[in-house]
Amino acid sequence: MKNSSLIVYYSWIGSTEVVAKEIQRLTGFEIQRIEEKKNRKLGKIPGAAMGAFLGLKSRIKPMDFALEEYENIFLGAQVWAGKTSPAINNYLKKASFKGKKVWLFLTKGDEKIPQQVIDSITKRIEKKGGTVIDSMSITTKWDPKVNLPIAREEVEEPVYEWLKKSGFLEG
């Protein structure tokens, strides 16, 4: 069953999960969450950002990294300090992207397009035989004092338009 699609994502606060679940709601694709072995504490934001900035990898729970039965992979990640999170760094190191078409969806705290992160992930996926087809980024405006993920209503339209443009939805 090689003609299928999988959504894989890492979400610390929950905003990337909101986007992943919206993609799933609209497409019915299978979904898989990347989880760190050790839960991150919210008060540790500077350390998390530093880990991302330094390119560190965190230990993640076991998952299927082969991805053989999937043709399309939707990979969701956050931008931390202008870099990929340690959990995503580890996933990119372990996952097999050979022959896969990959769509990136990123959540971020500012309005800038995270081109450096897109380029970094693309380079690592291409090195492992995959092809990044397109990317989308959504600004979450996350506030650490409130600690709420982005609302589904805020991602509905951009996710729908992106999936439609990419040929996954008719309309």
Side-chain angles (χ1 to χ4, degrees), residues 32 46 54 87 104 109 114 120 133:
Q32 198 176 83
L54 295 173
L104 304 176
S120 169
I133 304 297

Side-chain angles (χ1 to χ4, degrees), residues 50-104:
M50 183 58 74
F53 185 78
L54 295 173
L56 301 179
K57 295 171 191 70
S58 61
R59 293 176 42 180
I60 57 178
K61 292 181 179 178
M63 47 191 318
D64 181 6
F65 296 102
L67 307 174
E68 283 114 0
E69 63 186 87
Y70 302 101
E71 182 179 343
N72 305 304
I73 307 297
F74 286 79
L75 181 61
Q78 303 87 13
V79 177
W80 290 4
K83 306 285 184 181
T84 50
S85 70
I88 288 293
N89 291 337
N90 195 354
Y91 185 82
L92 290 168
K93 179 182 176 208
K94 292 182 175 187
S96 172
F97 292 100
K98 186 173 178 155
K100 305 300 173 206
K101 295 176 190 169
V102 182
W103 280 261
L104 304 176

Side-chain angles (χ1 to χ4, degrees), residues 108-119:
K108 58 199 172 69
D110 60 30
E111 296 292 333
K112 293 182 282 189
I113 293 176
Q115 196 60 51
Q116 184 177 0
V117 173
I118 294 166
D119 293 345

Side-chain angles (χ1 to χ4, degrees), residues 120-171:
S120 169
I121 293 173
T122 299
K123 182 177 170 185
R124 290 182 270 176
I125 287 171
E126 288 175 349
K127 190 175 182 182
K128 297 183 99 186
T131 304
V132 173
I133 304 297
D134 198 10
S135 65
M136 169 186 68
S137 62
I138 292 182
T139 302
T140 64
K141 297 180 180 141
W142 177 70
D143 180 350
K145 293 178 185 86
V146 180
N147 187 34
L148 291 173
I150 194 167
R152 185 174 78 85
E153 297 76 31
E154 293 182 61
V155 304
E156 283 176 316
E157 185 178 341
V159 169
Y160 175 83
E161 293 300 327
W162 183 58
L163 291 170
K164 188 171 126 186
K165 177 185 87 161
S166 297
F168 289 96
L169 299 176
E170 294 180 19

